[in-house]
Amino acid sequence: MPPPSLDALDTPAALVDLDRVERNLQRVATYAREHGLRWRPHTKTHKTAELGALQVAAGASGVTVATALEAEVMARVSDDVLFAYPPVGARRLARLMALPSRVRLTVALDSREALEGLALAARDAGRTVDVLVELDLGMRRVGLRTPEDAVALARVAASTPGVAFRGVTFYAGHLRMPQAELPAAMRAQSQTLASFVDALRASGLPPEVVSGGSTPTLWQSHAVRGLTEIRPGLNVLNDRNSVTIGACDWTEVAYSVLATVVSTAVPGQVVIDAGAKALAKEEGLAPGYGVLLERPEVVVKNLSEEHGLLDVSATTWRPRIGERVRVVPNHVCVSVPLHARLHVVRGDTGVATWEVAARGW
């Protein structure tokens, strides 16, 4: 779509700073290369084919997805897709099996039921799907918690037609802390992971792939012994949470929501037209629901559906009605799918408009 000028955009509108995106991609690609790690970014953050294509062009070995729609969209730009979600349900499996035959499909799972359903669907579709056994290293969401359970499921995967056991995967999303506090947690994670890998090797099932990582732990991924692949997602755009824990600095935040000041009637408060339906009302690692990109001391103190309430008590800034601001939300991944498109800018100049094609399921 042709890029409109920022002044012509209706607000709220999602903006992506392409200069910052490109620097973010170069940084992670360099890190992965220097540490001998494959880089398979999670595309749930941006849900756009164009950003997926930029990641692949920058050196990503493939992409990670969590929904069937994400898999369908990202198959347009990558021929190596990891479906990092339990593949339960006939409709979901049918959509995965309908991906182009050129796509190497890998699926993460943690149960025999999911494995058997996947294998049957793969055989019916005449294809073989790679399998990663999901481990729980402390997130307590999905994944197997003991090496014995992981070995048992890997054995079934290795002997079941239609699937091929390739390794293990984990997500340590519970490790969200200041970077200075992270090394001890990463050492503990490394020791736990080693118990799983050692058990698989002792059982004659050495994992070719050991896939993990997140944006909060990204820059210390090399400390995890045996890790072969990293899957950071939101670091391509970053957000307020990432800055708060030191996973990036303010110059690496590439996503914001353009909003218009609509009221200054209440002293000490400014109201903008970006509410929960544009920013997402998700509490973060610092008070409030976001801050202004240009004035990070101005906090979004509350949100209703269409209203964002800015606390201006700590600043001398007093905007006029109609003035426009850019808001950085706490969590970019939940803000992006609230918008139908991303408006791409370099500085203040619009350069493209990208459809958020993978919003939905």
Side-chain angles (χ1 to χ4, degrees):
M1 298 175 64
S5 68
L6 294 191
D7 291 339
L9 286 177
D10 291 331
T11 56
L15 304 184
V16 169
D17 186 319
L18 192 55
D19 291 328
R20 294 187 177 193
V21 163
E22 290 171 346
R23 291 195 296 270
N24 292 344
L25 293 178
Q26 291 169 6
R27 184 184 177 196
V28 69
T30 298
Y31 173 85
R33 184 170 58 252
E34 289 178 346
H35 292 284
L37 295 166
R38 287 192 298 274
W39 167 40
R40 183 189 290 276
H42 206 313
T43 60
K44 67 176 181 178
T45 296
H46 57 75
K47 292 180 177 282
T48 63
E50 292 85 353
L51 264 172
L54 287 176
Q55 289 172 317
V56 172
S61 60
V63 297
T64 305
V65 301
T67 70
L69 183 54
E70 288 173 7
E72 291 160 351
V73 170
M74 296 308 155
R76 304 175 195 169
V77 300
S78 176
D79 58 6
D80 196 329
V81 175
L82 167 61
F83 189 74
Y85 198 87
V88 176
R91 177 60 181 159
R92 180 179 283 136
L93 286 167
R95 291 172 68 184
L96 292 178
M97 294 309 109
L99 294 176
S101 59
R102 62 172 172 76
V103 173
R104 181 173 188 173
L105 176 63
T106 304
V107 171
L109 47 78
D110 65 359
S111 71
R112 186 162 183 161
E113 292 84 353
L115 175 64
E116 290 173 348
L118 174 66
L120 177 59
R123 292 195 299 270
D124 288 346
R127 64 191 302 167
T128 298
V129 177
D130 292 335
V131 164
L132 299 182
V133 172
E134 182 104 28
L135 312 179
D136 176 13
L137 300 191
M139 182 70 176
R140 302 295 183 260
R141 187 172 67 182
V142 296
L144 300 174
R145 298 181 64 177
T146 70
E148 294 77 16
D149 286 344
V151 168
L153 188 57
R155 281 192 178 125
V156 177
S159 61
T160 300
V163 296
F165 172 70
R166 288 196 66 215
V168 296
T169 182
F170 65 93
Y171 173 60
H174 59 297
L175 299 183
R176 293 196 303 166
M177 59 191 69
Q179 296 293 290
E181 300 174 12
L182 195 54
M186 296 295 281
R187 286 193 296 271
Q189 180 187 97
S190 184
Q191 292 170 359
T192 303
L193 177 63
S195 68
F196 284 90
V197 173
D198 291 346
L200 287 164
R201 286 176 176 158
S203 300
L205 295 164
E208 174 190 347
V209 175
V210 179
S211 180
S214 65
T215 294
T217 63
L218 171 57
W219 308 114
Q220 298 189 42
S221 298
H222 60 281
V224 180
R225 182 167 65 90
L227 192 68
T228 67
E229 178 178 275
I230 54 174
R231 305 189 317 274
L234 63 83
N235 77 295
V236 63
L237 298 175
N238 287 311
D239 54 21
R240 187 189 182 203
N241 283 340
S242 300
V243 174
T244 300
I245 63 173
C248 72
D249 65 39
W250 202 242
T251 65
E252 295 172 300
V253 176
Y255 177 84
S256 60
V257 175
L258 184 68
T260 301
V261 173
V262 297
S263 176
T264 59
V266 177
Q269 174 179 289
V270 168
V271 180
I272 57 175
D273 62 355
K277 290 182 177 178
L279 298 172
K281 194 169 185 177
E282 180 171 315
E283 294 184 355
L285 304 176
Y289 300 97
V291 294
L292 297 191
L293 179 67
E294 308 92 337
R295 296 177 176 84
E297 75 279 6
V298 177
V299 175
V300 182
K301 66 178 182 178
N302 206 351
L303 294 171
S304 52
E305 292 186 23
E306 311 294 350
H307 301 74
L309 278 57
L310 307 183
D311 181 357
V312 294
S313 61
T315 178
T316 59
W317 174 67
R318 295 295 181 267
R320 67 186 186 280
I321 301 296
E323 188 170 335
R324 292 190 166 197
V325 296
R326 298 186 189 184
V327 184
V328 177
N330 288 341
H331 189 183
V332 61
C333 301
V334 292
S335 176
V336 167
L338 300 176
H339 301 267
R341 55 194 63 86
L342 301 178
H343 301 282
V344 186
V345 300
R346 290 192 187 275
D348 293 324
T349 302
V351 297
T353 301
W354 295 340
E355 180 188 3
V356 186
R359 64 198 295 248
W361 305 102

